[in-house]
Amino acid sequence: MRISREEAQRNRERIRKVSGELFRERGFDGVAVSDLMKAAGLTHGGFYNHFPSKSALAAAALEDAFRRMAAERAGARSLDELLRGYLAREAREAPARACPAPSLAAETARGAPEVRQAFAEGLEELIGTVERLLPENGDGEERRRRAAGIVARMAGAMMLSRAVPDEHPLADELLAAGWPEGRGDGG
């Protein structure tokens, strides 16, 4: 049975969204294509009608996850507001709905070029968001360097915080350490 282009596009978007969540939760290698398609409510056999490979899907899912995160963060009026959401306990405990950088950086480093490119583009957008929220002092190069450092600190703090048990005091201490100048309450 053939489906319309519109339905095919909706299916593709559903696969991207579900895959982005599952990849952030379990990693690229922790999810089989059959599991991704089942979670999207589709059959395994239809996968290659939408994506030429799992790597192509991983790249598309990263693009989608970073785009969704950017849309959520677009309304941030200050760096503190952005950090409060990014470095929240809720984000630590729900990686499937949070930034893909802390969840997938290590796997992406060993991934296909298209996956690494999608990751880089997502990070570029996040760095740009942070740069926009920085005070208007310093030249462009300095602001860019500072924004990149803040993003690295944010993602690193979240990654390390997730690596220890939630109930361990270090988990919240690491979230708080992700704030520039040591601000934050970890929650």
Side-chain angles (χ1 to χ4, degrees), residues 20-27 62 65-66 69 72-73 85-107 119 153-176 178 186:
E21 292 171 357
L22 288 174
F23 287 149
R24 284 178 279 172
E25 190 175 283
R26 301 182 204 166
L62 277 173
F66 274 114
M69 187 189 71
E72 290 171 10
R73 303 290 186 241
Y86 193 99
L87 294 170
R89 285 184 193 111
E90 294 79 16
R92 176 182 67 215
E93 294 166 2
R97 293 185 305 277
C99 179
S103 300
L104 296 170
E107 283 190 76
F119 193 89
R153 189 171 182 170
M154 292 163 44
M158 182 58 73
M159 184 181 338
L160 293 174
S161 180
R162 285 182 180 153
V164 299
D166 289 342
E167 65 279 356
H168 197 289
L170 184 57
D172 286 341
E173 184 181 350
L174 288 164
L175 285 182

Side-chain angles (χ1 to χ4, degrees), residues 26-94:
R26 301 182 204 166
F28 296 128
D29 293 335
V31 186
V33 168
S34 59
D35 296 331
L36 296 170
M37 295 300 285
K38 183 177 180 181
L42 301 167
T43 63
H44 176 248
F47 175 79
Y48 293 101
N49 293 331
H50 298 284
F51 298 95
S53 65
K54 188 175 175 185
S55 290
L57 172 59
L62 277 173
E63 290 168 3
D64 186 65
F66 274 114
R67 186 181 72 241
R68 288 175 190 279
M69 187 189 71
E72 290 171 10
R73 303 290 186 241
R77 295 178 305 273
S78 69
L79 182 58
D80 284 347
E81 184 179 335
L82 178 101
L83 292 169
R84 198 172 6 268
Y86 193 99
L87 294 170
R89 285 184 193 111
E90 294 79 16
R92 176 182 67 215
E93 294 166 2

